[in-house]
Amino acid sequence: TANPTYTVTYNGNGGIGAQTDPNQYLAGVTVTVRGQGTLQITGYTFTGWNRAQDGSLKSYAVNDTLIMGSANVTLYAQWTALPAPTIVSPISGATNQSINPTLSWNLVTGATAYRLQASMASDFLGGIVYDDSGLTSNSQAIGTLLNNTTYYWRVRAKNNGGISAWSSTWIFTTIVAAPAASALSSPLNGATNQSINPTLSWNLVTG
């Protein structure tokens, strides 16, 4: 009679995606604990596995080993919240901002990259002027933007375990464009025999 074999099941514990182990193990065999696979939860980072869903039993890091007993094993993914970044500058409601502003936020412990979005629409469903999910620092110059225009911006953090929620949305307005040079009108360039109390005139400039 063949010796009985047992399985290791990886339970995502709320995560979307999967990690599987198709192998059958004999009792006493050493099993290497697998990674998170494609499991993710938005706003959380993967921290390892535990024999209990609530993390109250033995924990295992990726590549730890366990000795197979005489029963199937279920390991539950463990998650910890990845906080949303706190954005710093320009402050929300700022006006007269450069059309090439640098946006900055606080670093998030455990994050490996950030996604920054800037838009002319408060819902970010259109009017996107900047969208980069591969930023590794906590500031980024964007532009060139339009003058005298209101923009909305937000940031989220990510790592191999998941993606944080979005930061709060802040708003800023760019500076009004400088006026064009005015055309001189009178007296004409090179005019002679002018009054010693001349009146000088020029064309109005829109804006």
Side-chain angles (χ1 to χ4, degrees):
T1 302
N3 291 326
T5 57
Y6 306 98
T7 61
V8 177
T9 298
Y10 293 90
N11 185 300
N13 201 10
I16 297 173
Q19 173 58 286
T20 59
D21 183 349
N23 296 307
Q24 303 282 326
Y25 298 101
L26 294 169
V29 168
T30 299
V31 178
T32 300
V33 175
R34 300 192 173 201
Q36 75 182 87
T38 60
L39 291 167
Q40 285 192 350
I41 301 179
T42 298
Y44 289 80
T45 184
F46 172 80
T47 59
W49 304 96
N50 195 281
R51 285 184 177 258
Q53 187 172 15
D54 63 2
S56 60
L57 297 178
K58 183 172 176 57
S59 294
Y60 298 91
V62 176
N63 292 325
D64 277 355
T65 59
L66 63 85
I67 304 300
M68 203 70 193
S70 56
N72 295 328
V73 172
T74 298
L75 298 180
Y76 296 88
Q78 300 297 296
W79 306 94
T80 187
L82 182 65
T86 300
I87 50 181
V88 174
S89 178
I91 62 172
S92 192
T95 57
N96 297 319
Q97 299 300 295
S98 167
I99 59 174
N100 295 288
T102 295
L103 310 182
S104 63
W105 54 93
N106 289 333
L107 293 171
V108 172
T109 300
T112 56
Y114 300 89
R115 181 179 182 181
L116 169 64
Q117 285 189 329
S119 174
M120 291 187 286
S122 61
D123 59 8
F124 295 88
L125 296 179
I128 298 292
V129 297
Y130 189 89
D131 190 350
D132 190 339
S133 61
L135 302 176
T136 56
S137 68
N138 63 324
S139 67
Q140 179 64 30
I142 67 171
T144 300
L145 305 179
L146 299 176
N147 288 102
N148 196 30
T149 302
T150 296
Y151 292 93
Y152 304 84
W153 67 287
R154 62 185 182 178
V155 187
R156 72 192 319 177
K158 67 177 182 178
N159 60 21
N160 290 335
I163 302 170
S164 78
W166 286 107
S167 68
S168 56
T169 297
W170 278 14
I171 181 174
F172 66 89
T173 303
T174 52
I175 193 169
V176 174
S182 177
L184 303 181
S185 176
S186 178
L188 295 176
N189 188 30
T192 59
N193 299 318
Q194 299 298 298
S195 166
I196 60 173
N197 297 293
T199 297
L200 308 181
S201 61
W202 54 91
N203 293 334
L204 295 174
V205 174
T206 301

